[in-house]
Amino acid sequence: SFFVENSDTTILETIEIKIIDNETFYCPAVVNQNDGEAVLFKLTSTDPTQLVFENAQHDFPNKICYNQEGKNINAWIEGGDKKIPFYMKALEH
């Protein structure tokens, strides 16, 4: 993910999906956190419209979810009693 301010682009996070020992992991690396190293979240639940990745040992978040609603994606991160939503709208071409 990134943001643009005054035509300058700043990278906030990079994400990889990896297969490790036949398990699927969501691997975000956040700038200025965890020494730039990715944190692994194991894929724990899937259905045709939703993916759930979890890492109970991580401080926050413990869970990362993606839910497809039509052409759009609603995602959220959660841990403890905190939940932060992210809404992504498909661009029309």
Side-chain angles (χ1 to χ4, degrees), residues 17-61:
I17 302 293
K18 294 183 179 181
I19 306 295
I20 302 170
D21 295 329
N22 294 321
E23 301 277 17
T24 303
F25 291 87
Y26 178 95
C27 309
V30 179
V31 174
N32 297 324
Q33 289 185 15
N34 198 39
D35 294 323
E37 296 294 318
V39 176
L40 277 58
F41 291 82
K42 183 179 175 181
L43 180 65
T44 58
S45 175
T46 65
D47 71 34
T49 61
Q50 188 175 68
L51 299 172
V52 177
F53 300 89
E54 298 183 76
N55 180 336
Q57 306 308 311
H58 192 251
D59 55 354
F60 182 86

